[in-house]
Amino acid sequence: MNGKRSRFALSFLALALLGGCQGDRDDPPNDGAAGASGSNGTGGGNGSGGAGPASYTFLGPTEHLVRASMALRGTRPSGDELARVKADPAALEGIVDQYLASPEFGATLRDLHNEALLVRAAPVIFPLGFPARGPLAAEEQQRLNVALMEAPLRLIEHVVMNDRPYSEIVTGDYTLADGRVAAVWGLEHQGAFDAWTETRWDDGRPNAGILSDSTLFTRHSTTYSNGNRGRANLVSTALLCYDFLSREIGGADASINLGDPKEVADAVKVNQGCAGCHQTLDPLASFFGAFHPLFVPSDPSTSYPFTFYLPPLEPVFNVTESAYFGQRGEGLAFLGDAIAADPRFSLCAAKRFYGYLNEMSPAEVPLEVASPLQAAFIGSGLNARKLVKAIVLGDDFRAAAGPDGAPGGRLLKARPAQLARLVEDLTGFRWKARLDAELPTGQGAPVGQVGEIDLLTDSFFGLEVLAGGLDSVAVTQATHTMTPTAALTLRTLASLAAQHVVASDFAQADPSKRKLLRQVGPAEAGEAALRDQIAALYLRLYGVAAEPNGDDVAATYQLFTSARQAAGGDAARAWTTTLFAMLQDARIAYY
């Protein structure tokens, strides 16, 4: 640890108590068999808050592999991977390492951190909506805005996937940009236009990872009266799991006229109830005084590159001297180092990763679960991939059943982005649409042709919220239950994907190049071959090794033969009906 980090660490010694005790686990090992109980001591612990390991039953090795693959990548394991783990459960760890190096895990990292930073807002939400003009006049509006909203998430993905200390997300002296982001903010960009590469802010702002990011603070704007307090609370909530808005307010004067800026400005200094929060919130907000307060990209006068960093604004927006929870300092680099040295940063990361992978909010993660993970995370040099590995190999994650109210021990539901990747991997179908119309803004100025929309990962034109996702503005938490709208979305997706995969598979003469129907052709009528194909579908779609003569295959075979008879012998139509049923089965959505 360098001198600066040591100084911060000593300054926050009292905060270390928030981390709780971080003792070693010495639970007995477990053989990983389905229905077994115990603890393997690899990460999350029993997570029961008092209930012992014997209160849990665990997934078998292949079921555990399916869950790990879905959580990390949003796709099913291959048949070869399932066979390897069935033959040798110890092979699971090496396969998880491969998953953690995959591009799909990078996409998962972006999804995870969007739930913290809430940057993926629709371009029609004020004040967003970057227009396709100037050097970007030929761009589709949707593609341009998706790239811009992804910028801070791409930086975090870059840090994690390259095994850099996780603290670089707030201390890194670089940012990430593709050609679109570079053109909007005036950044240097090397390589292909679509390539995300390292670059640096050269307008005088300190480089401090996402804390320097113009996109983040365009999405989270401010006003003169707010004075960057919303931005400060976003940073505190996302990175420290400390939400000022969750604090209880005691002694506040209900007679304060909140419509009078002067009265409010006085109250935050002298009123006991107000000052309790603002004595730490306002100095934190002062670190962001040089950023443009309310940038409306669709304004007709906007041109690229846009100047977002304006130091002359600081005297206007800073209501007090900058400080980090009582530690005086100046500049974003100071702030980044202070956050990185704060024990709450590593504890929050442990809670956030654990919560995302186990489908619970960070606030719901018990301290006795998060604290050992935090200790291991710190011991690894803040290697986030090692943290994730510990979580997915831990007892809570592989629990099939557990005590009521305890972490783990329940089915997990695929988020919309996971479902999109899963169905695309299985069938080759990605649910997209084109909207070739100009999108108006509140000012009446069009921002360009909308273009192609990914319907499962778009919250305005698409179905992301209906499928259980968030829009980062009005809906800020994912839904992990099968709501009626989620079921309808899955049903429509299954219908379209089934039609697509049957048509494309039977158009492919080489069975080895097909997605699902590799054992049969459209003319196949033999019962044994059809049952073998159905059994192969169970393995590929659900990760379940079904016997060709077993009950599951028998029921699906009956569905196929009935559908074929109803379609006048049309096997392609029968396979479409069969896959339509199998792709909307709850086993697709849950893992």
Side-chain angles (χ1 to χ4, degrees):
M1 180 181 292
N2 61 34
K4 183 182 291 186
R5 293 287 170 81
S6 298
R7 184 170 68 253
F8 282 123
L10 290 172
S11 300
F12 303 129
L13 182 60
L15 291 176
L17 296 174
L18 293 172
C21 300
Q22 300 174 2
D24 295 331
R25 290 176 50 89
D26 51 6
D27 298 317
N30 179 266
D31 63 5
S37 63
S39 171
N40 62 12
T42 54
N46 61 53
S48 60
S55 301
Y56 283 79
T57 56
F58 296 105
L59 300 173
T62 57
E63 296 169 312
H64 186 186
L65 178 65
V66 170
R67 178 171 288 185
S69 182
M70 282 297 300
L72 298 178
R73 304 185 303 164
T75 60
R76 293 284 192 260
S78 68
D80 176 66
E81 290 167 344
L82 288 165
R84 286 165 55 197
V85 169
K86 183 177 181 179
D88 178 15
L92 188 147
E93 182 175 351
I95 295 173
V96 165
D97 286 333
Q98 295 172 17
Y99 292 167
L100 291 171
S102 68
E104 291 79 11
F105 177 61
T108 297
L109 288 169
R110 301 197 301 273
D111 297 337
L112 185 159
H113 286 91
N114 182 63
E115 293 194 5
L117 298 175
L118 301 174
V119 291
R120 287 177 176 162
V124 297
I125 303 297
F126 183 86
L128 302 178
F130 287 82
R133 61 170 63 127
L136 298 171
E139 283 294 307
E140 290 183 350
Q141 183 264 352
Q142 183 79 356
R143 183 180 299 173
L144 170 61
N145 281 270
V146 167
L148 283 158
M149 294 300 105
E150 286 272 293
L153 307 177
R154 293 279 182 173
L155 171 59
I156 297 172
E157 176 191 11
H158 182 74
V159 169
V160 174
M161 296 301 289
N162 287 281
D163 289 330
R164 297 183 178 183
Y166 188 70
S167 54
E168 276 195 22
I169 72 171
V170 291
T171 64
D173 64 349
Y174 59 91
T175 189
L176 265 283
D178 69 352
R180 300 170 186 86
V181 174
V184 168
W185 302 125
L187 297 167
E188 183 180 347
H189 182 258
Q190 303 290 334
F193 189 73
D194 290 331
W196 289 87
T197 59
E198 286 191 20
T199 186
R200 283 165 176 76
W201 302 102
D202 61 1
D203 54 5
R205 79 183 74 184
N207 285 274
I210 62 172
L211 301 177
S212 303
D213 195 276
S214 293
T215 294
L216 182 63
F217 298 120
T218 298
R219 161 64 187 93
H220 298 283
S221 59
T222 191
T223 62
Y224 175 77
S225 59
N226 180 257
N228 289 295
R229 295 181 179 102
R231 289 170 169 172
N233 194 49
L234 165 78
V235 169
S236 178
T237 303
L239 300 177
L240 305 177
C241 295
Y242 181 78
D243 185 356
F244 283 91
L245 296 177
S246 68
R247 290 187 54 171
E248 293 186 6
I249 300 176
D253 184 355
S255 67
I256 297 171
N257 179 8
L258 298 180
D260 184 341
K262 185 178 184 303
E263 188 171 344
V264 171
D266 291 339
V268 299
K269 296 177 182 178
V270 301
N271 183 278
Q272 179 181 354
C274 299
C277 282
H278 283 273
Q279 65 183 351
T280 48
L281 176 62
D282 290 0
L284 183 60
S286 292
F287 284 103
F288 308 108
F291 286 126
H292 204 291
L294 183 60
F295 171 39
V296 183
S298 59
D299 188 304
S301 65
T302 300
S303 61
Y304 303 138
F306 183 82
T307 302
F308 195 80
Y309 183 70
L310 300 166
L313 289 176
E314 289 188 285
V316 178
F317 282 92
N318 290 357
V319 297
T320 186
E321 293 183 3
S322 58
Y324 181 78
F325 293 93
Q327 182 79 16
R328 288 287 178 85
E330 296 181 359
L332 295 172
F334 172 92
L335 177 61
D337 284 328
I339 291 173
D342 191 331
R344 291 175 295 179
F345 174 69
S346 55
L347 181 64
C348 182
K351 287 184 173 183
R352 193 165 297 285
F353 279 97
Y354 179 96
Y356 182 89
L357 294 166
N358 286 282
E359 296 189 349
M360 57 198 303
S361 74
E364 294 175 312
V365 180
L367 184 60
E368 61 268 26
V369 171
S371 185
L373 288 170
Q374 179 194 25
F377 186 38
I378 294 171
S380 72
L382 299 185
N383 187 306
R385 285 203 287 187
K386 290 183 179 179
L387 171 63
V388 171
K389 181 177 178 180
I391 293 169
V392 299
L393 295 181
D395 290 345
D396 292 347
F397 185 79
R398 69 186 184 97
D404 290 342
R410 56 191 170 82
L411 288 173
L412 304 177
K413 176 179 170 291
R415 292 171 169 85
Q418 292 172 310
L419 191 61
R421 290 196 292 272
L422 172 62
V423 171
E424 183 178 24
D425 182 59
L426 292 174
T427 69
F429 177 75
R430 189 80 179 203
W431 200 1
K432 296 182 178 181
R434 291 197 64 85
L435 182 57
D436 292 322
E438 289 190 337
L439 181 64
T441 67
Q443 297 181 335
V447 295
Q449 299 294 318
V450 176
E452 187 175 70
I453 301 161
D454 190 317
L455 292 174
L456 279 180
T457 59
D458 182 87
S459 62
F460 186 81
F461 298 109
L463 305 167
E464 183 175 10
V465 173
L466 298 181
L470 53 154
D471 66 9
S472 299
V473 179
V475 181
T476 57
Q477 293 183 352
T479 301
H480 303 302
T481 56
M482 184 58 76
T483 62
T485 57
L488 288 170
T489 301
L490 177 59
R491 176 173 181 164
T492 306
L493 175 64
S495 174
L496 296 169
Q499 296 174 59
H500 173 86
V501 72
V502 171
S504 59
D505 273 7
F506 284 157
Q508 175 57 253
D510 184 353
S512 67
K513 295 182 179 180
R514 297 175 186 169
K515 285 287 188 179
L516 292 177
L517 301 174
R518 295 186 171 190
Q519 277 89 342
V520 298
E524 180 61 62
E527 181 175 345
L530 293 171
R531 283 177 175 266
D532 285 344
Q533 174 62 82
I534 292 170
L537 290 175
Y538 270 84
L539 186 66
R540 184 71 185 101
L541 298 181
Y542 312 135
V544 173
E547 291 295 329
N549 294 319
D551 292 342
D552 282 344
V553 172
T556 307
Y557 174 73
Q558 181 60 47
L559 170 64
F560 172 81
T561 54
S562 298
R564 184 176 57 185
Q565 182 178 4
D570 186 342
R573 180 68 179 270
W575 280 119
T576 300
T577 301
T578 302
L579 285 168
F580 172 42
M582 296 186 77
L583 287 168
Q584 64 176 302
D585 190 294
R587 285 171 288 188
I588 282 288
Y590 286 90
Y591 57 92

